[in-house]
């Protein structure tokens, strides 16, 4: 009996499962507030949204599922864009339970082309579009991300920072940032060329999509509204109340501070949204309001103040006693400021600051002491593995911070070298290949910036001699040799080819010389990023001289000699941080001052036989 | 009386302006762009002049008041094996080599060709034969200014040296 009951139960469960899955309907978007629209453009927009939301959703994490959104047809708005084309914008309400990214505001924008076909996109303002700059993401009607950029509330301009490659659909134009995608300078770059970034954007491209024919100027809608303003504005009071509720702030002083500092309210609100109101972000928000209320002199009008606050919290400054240096408190502030000026890499800034504070916290430097700086050592080694640029960033931060420390405390430079930099250099030393014949560009860079190894002096500068057969010259075991092998650099190719012609015409003969100086200026800098030319990034400007060693009837042997000096000045000439150009670091001799970035020369010497 | 003072002050002002801003005005005039298309020898032939700046005069062992005249002529014009052109040039002070003190008038061969290969920095090859045969430590760039006037610019570099970068040794501007 029990057995029959048991079997029946299993059968019922199986049947129920089959019935459930066979009868389950696809979760199509519901339109609870769908109105019977009368405006022809609104009707077209409604059809456009229905068609697009019925398309299969992308599984790519960066895309959105438009079925998670419901258009608010009660609040659509129609404007005329600068091309004289009517544009409809409709707020999209996100279903909180299925929210992918809690964006500040989302809407669709639709126009009709000459044939009356609806063309549209979904625009997602990650942050508040009324204050400063915020990220704006543009999706196709089916939710595929095709461009990301920054929207500036003051200039009302959209600057793309990422665009999908695919079929070209360039829409140029100026004026209202949203009424067309703007062309991007050819040199516009994203990311680190060695870590897979460095995307050259000659123009903004649009991913193919059945509902968005690409190409014609004016085909894309004017989002949002007619003046770059969202259709359903959110007032500062609403944001304040929202933030106070999220952070559960009841302290009257804190409430008064927030009321008097709308920029803080905006930034914290956006921070919470960006972090999907995580508990960690809420904890930070609460701490930040408390800290700012207790430190009313903290400048929240200065760019990057939020990152500085994140750094202060992460470092937990109260654990440092600052007993050995007279002005440690002011140094602490200066270090945070320097790092904050560099970039928003809060993790790296925290690691650098933590190590420096650990050093500053030492009360009595002696031969028995060394700063552990465990995280900094590992972080630096990781940066070396990643790319020259990543290594340069952390080395530059260290130099700037430690240089300030040395300037403010004359006489401490030896201690900084002995107890901080030298142990770090020793750690890095194990990652480097010192053999000039088999080393790569990363090895050369690390040798220069951390002042590693010892090399014979030429003209008073320690110089690494790299000769015929070296991997750096031939490109063997070097990534992207067509760009990064020394023999393939444009200077060398130019010298080789022009002397081939001069030899052929007997204008050059044995003993003849020629030279060419490669000028590394701003255009070359951007080109080298685009081409991911580690060689050019490392070398910058350099001089090459050739000498004709032997000549036959249709061939000649040429000696190439290229000389370069790696120095802080050439390395920092084009560095621009997120806060703009932060200046050049002066050159210095190796072994003097801080043990970072002292001049090192490289001499590339090899022979080639050319024919004509 | 007041007008006299005004004239004197204005005079001093303009004198100072032109003295101190001469370089700026010259640089504005000299903004150039590399000629990347093949240049015909007919375009090249002509008279060029160069008035050195302080640092150029120092390198070339000449005075800033000197005017160097380079004449590229069609004398002995012929085509070379590779299809380039060669002829005679004259210069009133030989300055086409860096750091060699040889400033007497000079006459020798010029040579012009064009490189079509990819990854070429200076596509028009210009060569001035020297007293030390086939020696050159200056790259000759053919450029045009905003008015379309041809310039022959000598470029060199001294990596790690006093200037530590590329600089113009001379800039001859075509005058006729």
């Amino acid at each position: 009996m029990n057995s029959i009951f048991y079997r029946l139960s299993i059968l019922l469960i199986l049947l129920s499962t089959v019935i459930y899955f066979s009868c389950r309907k696809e979760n199509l978007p519901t339109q609870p507030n769908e109105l019977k629209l009368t405006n022809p453009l609104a009707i077209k927009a409604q059809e456009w949204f229905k068609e697009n939301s019925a398309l299969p959703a992308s599984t790519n994490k960066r895309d959105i599922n438009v079925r998670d959104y419901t258009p608010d047809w009660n609040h659509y708005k129609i404007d005329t864009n600068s091309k004289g084309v009517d544009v409809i914008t409709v707020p999209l309400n996100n279903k909180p339970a299925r929210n992918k990214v809690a964006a500040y505001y989302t809407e669709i924008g639709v126009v009709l082309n000459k044939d009356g076909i609806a063309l549209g996109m979904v625009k997602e303002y990650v942050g508040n579009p009324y204050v400063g700059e915020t990220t704006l993401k543009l999706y196709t009607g089916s939710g595929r991300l095709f461009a990301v950029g920054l929207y500036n509330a003051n200039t009302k301009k959209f600057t793309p920072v990422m665009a999908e490659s695919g079929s070209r659909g360039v829409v140029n134009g100026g004026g209202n940032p949203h009424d067309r995608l703007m062309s991007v300078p050819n040199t516009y770059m994203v990311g680190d060329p060695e870590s897979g970034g460095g995307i050259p954007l000659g123009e903004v491209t649009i991913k193919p999509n059945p509902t968005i024919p690409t190409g014609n100027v004016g085909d894309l809608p004017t989002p949002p509204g007619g003046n770059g303003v969202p259709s359903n504005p959110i007032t500062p009071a609403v944001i304040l109340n929202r933030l106070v509720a999220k952070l559960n702030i009841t302290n009257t002083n804190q409430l008064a501070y927030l009321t008097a500092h709308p920029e803080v309210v905006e930034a914290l609100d956006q921070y919470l949204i960006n972090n999907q109101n995580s508990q960690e972000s809420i904890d930070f928000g609460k701490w930040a309001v408390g800290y700012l209320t207790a430190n009313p002199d903290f400048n929240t009008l200065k760019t990057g103040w939020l990152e500085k606050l994140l750094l202060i919290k992460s470092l937990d400054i109260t654990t440092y006693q600052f007993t050995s240096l007279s002005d440690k408190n002011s140094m602490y502030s200066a270090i945070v400021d320097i790092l904050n000026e560099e970039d928003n890499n809060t993790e790296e800034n925290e690691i650098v600051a933590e190590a420096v504070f650990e050093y500053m916290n030492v009360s009595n430097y002696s031969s028995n002491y060394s700063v552990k700086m465990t995280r900094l050592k590992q972080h630096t080694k990781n940066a070396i593995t990643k790319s020259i640029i990543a290594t340069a960033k952390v080395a530059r931060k260290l130099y700037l911070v430690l240089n300030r420390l040395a300037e403010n405390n004359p006489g401490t430079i030896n201690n900084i070298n002995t107890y901080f930099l030298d142990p770090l250099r020793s750690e890095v030393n194990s990652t480097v290949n010192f053999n000039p014949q088999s080393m790569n560009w990363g090895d050369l860079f690390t040798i220069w910036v951390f002042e590693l190894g010892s090399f014979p002096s030429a003209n008073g500068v320690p110089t690494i001699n790299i000769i015929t057969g070296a991997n750096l010259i031939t490109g063997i075991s070097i990534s992207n040799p067509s760009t990064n092998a020394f023999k393939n650099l444009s200077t060398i190719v130019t010298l080789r080819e022009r002397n081939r012609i001069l030899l052929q015409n007997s204008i050059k003969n044995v003993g003849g010389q020629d030279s060419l100086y490669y000028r590394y200026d701003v255009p070359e800098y951007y080109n080298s990023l685009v081409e991911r030319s580690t060689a050019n990034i490392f070398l910058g400007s350099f001089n090459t001289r050739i000498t004709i060693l032997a000549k036959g009837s249709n061939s000649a042997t040429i000696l190439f000699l290229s000389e370069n000096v790696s120095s802080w000045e050439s390395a920092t000439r084009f560095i621009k941080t997120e806060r703009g150009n932060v200046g050049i670091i002066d050159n210095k001799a190796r072994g003097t001052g801080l043990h970072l970035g002292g001049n090192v020369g490289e001499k590339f010497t090899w022979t080639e036989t050319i024919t004509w | 009386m007041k007008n006299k003072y005004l004239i004197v002050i204005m005079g001093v002002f303009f004198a100072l302006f032109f003295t101190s801003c001469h370089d700026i005005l010259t640089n504005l005039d000299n903004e150039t762009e590399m000629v990347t298309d093949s240049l015909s020898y007919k375009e090249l032939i002509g008279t060029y002049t160069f008035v050195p700046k302080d640092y150029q005069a120092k390198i070339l062992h000449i005075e800033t008041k000197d005017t160097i005249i380079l004449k590229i002529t069609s004398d002995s014009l012929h085509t070379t094996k590779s299809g380039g052109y060669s002829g005679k040039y004259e210069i009133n002070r030989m300055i086409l080599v860096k750091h060699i003190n040889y400033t007497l008038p000079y006459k020798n061969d010029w040579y012009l060709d064009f490189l079509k290969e990819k990854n070429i920095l200076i596509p028009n090859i210009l060569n001035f034969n020297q007293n030390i045969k086939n020696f050159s430590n200056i790259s000759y760039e053919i450029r045009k200014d905003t008015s379309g006037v041809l310039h022959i610019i000598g470029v060199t570099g001294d990596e790690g040296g006093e200037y530590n970068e590329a600089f113009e040794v001379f800039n001859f501007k075509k005058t006729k």
Side-chain angles (χ1 to χ4, degrees):
Chain A
M1 183 69 183
N2 278 344
S3 176
I4 291 169
F5 181 77
Y6 178 75
R7 285 175 191 174
L8 275 173
S9 300
I10 296 290
L11 188 64
L12 274 172
I13 289 168
L14 283 171
L15 273 173
S16 304
T17 308
V18 169
I19 290 166
Y20 171 75
F21 279 104
S22 61
C23 297
R24 193 182 71 147
K25 287 181 182 172
E26 187 64 25
N27 188 16
L28 293 171
T30 53
Q31 308 285 343
N33 64 343
E34 189 169 316
L35 296 176
K36 190 77 177 169
L37 300 170
T38 53
N39 182 287
L41 181 55
I43 292 169
K44 285 276 190 182
Q46 204 171 41
E47 289 170 359
W48 175 86
F49 185 77
K50 274 185 185 175
E51 281 176 21
N52 279 276
S53 55
L55 291 169
S58 166
T59 53
N60 194 321
K61 283 182 180 176
R62 67 188 185 171
D63 297 331
I64 57 170
N65 186 348
V66 287
R67 296 174 193 178
D68 291 347
Y69 297 81
T70 307
D72 181 0
W73 296 108
N74 285 305
H75 293 98
Y76 74 76
K77 189 176 175 185
I78 294 176
D79 290 283
T80 304
N81 73 9
S82 57
K83 290 286 171 188
V85 178
D86 282 348
V87 181
I88 182 169
T89 47
V90 188
L92 280 182
N93 294 324
N94 194 231
K95 296 172 186 170
R98 302 180 63 185
N99 192 0
K100 175 180 169 282
V101 175
Y104 198 99
Y105 173 69
T106 311
E107 70 177 11
I108 58 173
V110 177
V111 292
L112 303 183
N113 72 3
K114 285 175 285 189
D115 302 323
I117 296 169
L119 310 167
M121 66 168 88
V122 176
K123 293 154 287 169
E124 183 183 74
Y125 296 85
V126 176
N128 188 343
Y130 295 102
V131 181
E133 281 187 335
T134 188
T135 302
L136 173 60
K137 296 180 178 179
L138 302 179
Y139 301 90
T140 65
S142 61
R144 269 79 173 172
L145 182 72
F146 68 84
V148 179
L150 288 175
Y151 171 67
N152 188 309
N154 300 321
T155 62
K156 299 194 182 338
K157 290 201 169 178
F158 173 63
T159 307
V161 294
M162 186 282 280
E164 276 299 305
S165 56
S167 68
R168 295 277 160 119
V170 184
V171 187
N172 296 314
N176 188 331
H178 296 258
D179 64 357
R180 61 221 62 204
L181 300 174
M182 296 171 73
S183 61
V184 188
N186 283 328
T187 53
Y188 195 87
M189 296 295 306
V190 182
D192 188 333
E194 290 194 345
S195 58
I199 308 160
L201 297 178
E203 50 198 355
V204 172
T205 57
I206 296 170
K207 198 169 183 173
N209 184 285
T211 56
I212 300 185
T214 59
N216 298 326
V217 173
D219 276 357
L220 289 173
T222 304
N227 298 310
V229 179
S231 306
N232 57 348
I234 302 167
T235 63
V238 170
I239 302 168
L240 175 63
N241 290 336
R242 187 163 71 190
L243 182 71
V244 167
K246 280 181 189 173
L247 300 181
N248 191 25
I249 290 171
T250 52
N251 180 298
T252 50
N253 289 338
Q254 293 181 358
L255 286 170
Y257 178 88
L258 288 176
T259 307
H261 292 84
E263 77 282 2
V264 173
V265 175
E266 301 281 1
L268 289 177
D269 185 63
Q270 187 165 327
Y271 176 79
L272 291 173
I273 290 168
N274 291 346
N275 289 281
Q276 300 180 50
N277 299 316
S278 67
Q279 190 56 48
E280 193 180 351
S281 65
I282 289 172
D283 289 345
F284 169 74
K286 284 179 179 174
W287 174 87
V289 174
Y291 182 91
L292 292 170
T293 306
N295 297 278
D297 292 338
F298 188 95
N299 187 356
T300 52
L301 298 174
K302 191 177 175 185
T303 308
W305 65 266
L306 188 64
E307 288 75 22
K308 183 175 177 178
L309 216 52
L310 282 160
L311 187 57
I312 290 171
K313 179 160 191 306
S314 66
L315 289 168
D316 192 9
I317 193 68
T318 54
T319 63
Y320 295 96
Q321 300 304 311
F322 300 126
T323 51
S324 70
L325 290 168
S326 57
D327 55 350
K328 278 184 170 176
N329 283 320
S330 64
M331 274 311 303
Y332 149 75
S333 180
I335 287 168
V336 172
D337 277 343
I338 289 170
L339 292 170
N340 195 45
E341 287 291 325
E342 284 291 292
D343 58 34
N344 286 341
N345 188 343
T346 48
E347 188 191 359
E348 183 171 273
N349 291 348
E350 179 188 321
I351 290 168
V352 170
E354 181 185 83
V356 176
F357 291 158
E358 189 190 348
Y359 165 80
M360 289 166 65
N361 205 33
V362 175
S363 56
N364 181 24
Y365 296 100
S366 73
S367 57
N368 297 326
Y369 184 79
S370 69
V371 181
K372 291 190 186 73
M373 49 184 172
T374 314
R375 288 176 75 200
L376 178 63
K377 286 176 178 172
Q378 189 55 48
H379 180 78
T380 307
K381 287 198 283 190
N382 291 345
I384 289 168
T385 309
K386 191 180 174 192
S387 72
I388 281 179
I389 290 179
T391 313
K393 280 180 181 170
V394 66
R396 179 187 154 81
K397 283 178 188 178
L398 280 170
Y399 189 92
L400 292 173
V401 166
L402 295 174
N403 194 47
R404 176 69 68 87
L405 196 61
E407 281 173 356
N408 281 30
N409 300 277
T412 63
I413 201 158
N414 285 338
N415 280 344
I416 294 173
N417 282 330
T418 306
Y419 301 109
F420 190 100
L421 280 177
D422 293 349
L424 179 64
R425 291 168 58 232
S426 176
E427 187 82 12
V428 167
N429 196 70
S430 61
T431 68
V432 176
N433 174 7
F434 288 94
N435 182 346
Q437 295 307 96
S438 58
M439 61 173 51
N440 61 30
W441 295 109
D443 292 319
L444 267 184
F445 185 83
T446 310
I447 286 169
W448 163 66
V449 81
F450 288 103
E451 300 193 0
L452 303 176
S454 57
F455 306 98
S457 177
N459 299 321
V461 179
T463 299
I464 305 169
N465 282 301
I466 298 145
I467 60 172
T468 302
N471 289 353
L472 285 169
I473 297 172
T474 62
I476 295 168
S477 302
I478 300 291
S479 68
N480 198 8
S482 61
T483 303
N484 289 324
F486 204 97
K487 70 182 178 71
N488 294 333
L489 298 180
S490 55
T491 314
I492 307 304
V493 174
T494 304
L495 275 172
R496 183 186 296 124
E497 295 309 320
R498 85 176 176 198
N499 281 280
R500 192 195 307 273
I501 291 177
L502 295 171
L503 281 158
Q504 182 186 4
N505 293 300
S506 296
I507 291 163
K508 278 263 161 66
N509 287 298
V510 174
Q513 292 190 322
D514 194 5
S515 69
L516 184 53
Y517 194 84
Y518 179 68
R519 281 193 278 194
Y520 192 73
D521 215 325
V522 173
E524 287 79 16
Y525 171 66
Y526 281 111
N527 279 339
S528 58
L529 291 176
V530 170
E531 292 167 359
R532 302 185 186 188
S533 173
T534 313
N536 279 331
I537 291 169
F538 172 76
L539 290 164
S541 302
F542 66 94
N543 196 47
T544 303
R545 189 171 72 244
I546 64 129
T547 307
I548 316 295
L549 297 180
K551 188 184 172 191
S553 57
N554 64 349
S555 69
T557 305
I558 300 178
L559 174 69
F560 287 81
L561 170 62
S562 298
E563 292 173 293
N564 180 59
V565 175
S566 299
S567 63
W568 271 121
E569 193 178 309
S570 62
T572 53
R573 190 175 298 162
F574 306 119
I575 287 183
K576 283 195 172 184
T577 69
E578 291 170 28
R579 314 265 179 262
N581 198 324
V582 287
I584 295 169
I585 296 177
D586 291 337
N587 287 347
K588 70 173 198 72
R590 210 176 210 228
T592 63
L594 293 172
H595 291 171
L596 281 177
N599 298 352
V600 159
E602 300 95 32
K603 202 176 194 178
F604 298 83
T605 315
W606 75 102
T607 56
E608 284 185 18
T609 299
I610 62 167
T611 57
W612 56 87
Chain B
M1 191 64 181
K2 280 181 184 175
N3 285 341
K4 282 182 184 173
Y5 282 123
L6 193 63
I7 289 165
V8 171
I9 290 166
M10 291 288 279
V12 170
F13 171 78
F14 281 111
L16 285 173
F17 176 79
F18 282 110
T19 307
S20 59
C21 299
H22 174 261
D23 269 5
I24 295 170
L25 296 171
T26 309
N27 286 337
L28 281 175
D29 186 38
N30 284 345
E31 200 165 305
T32 58
E33 198 168 294
M34 179 90 76
V35 177
T36 51
D37 294 333
S38 174
L39 188 82
S40 73
Y41 78 88
K42 286 179 184 171
E43 278 186 273
L44 181 71
I45 285 168
T47 302
Y48 299 73
T49 58
F50 163 58
V51 179
K53 293 173 185 169
D54 286 345
Y55 79 92
Q56 291 167 327
K58 188 178 157 192
I59 292 165
L60 298 168
H61 308 286
I62 53 178
E63 303 289 325
T64 50
K65 63 181 185 222
D66 291 341
T67 298
I68 313 297
I69 298 167
L70 171 69
K71 288 181 183 171
I72 299 179
T73 72
S74 58
D75 296 352
S76 308
L77 183 75
H78 66 277
T79 54
T80 63
K81 288 179 193 171
S82 62
Y85 290 90
S86 183
K88 293 287 182 190
Y89 75 90
E90 293 173 33
I91 191 163
N92 65 339
R93 280 167 172 251
M94 179 58 199
I95 60 158
L96 302 177
V97 182
K98 189 178 71 162
H99 294 312
I100 290 180
N101 191 356
Y102 183 78
T103 54
L104 297 172
Y106 191 79
K107 192 171 182 178
N108 209 323
D109 293 338
W110 60 261
Y111 171 79
L112 177 71
D113 210 327
F114 184 69
L115 277 172
K116 291 172 188 167
E117 283 80 359
K118 285 181 181 173
N119 210 11
I120 296 292
L121 293 171
I122 307 172
N124 281 294
I125 309 171
L126 182 60
N127 192 72
F128 295 104
N129 278 2
Q130 315 293 341
N131 53 337
I132 305 169
K133 189 163 169 55
N134 66 51
F135 178 82
S136 168
N137 57 3
I138 293 172
S139 287
Y140 307 108
E141 295 182 0
I142 299 174
R143 292 175 165 264
K144 275 185 180 169
D145 62 26
T146 48
S147 309
V149 177
L150 220 56
H151 290 245
I152 295 171
I153 296 175
V155 180
T156 192
D158 65 338
E159 185 75 7
E162 185 182 356
Y163 298 98
N164 197 30
E165 59 178 312
F167 55 87
E168 286 184 5
V169 184
F170 50 74
N171 184 338
F172 284 99
K173 184 176 180 179
K174 194 172 184 183
T175 50
K176 54 181 171 175

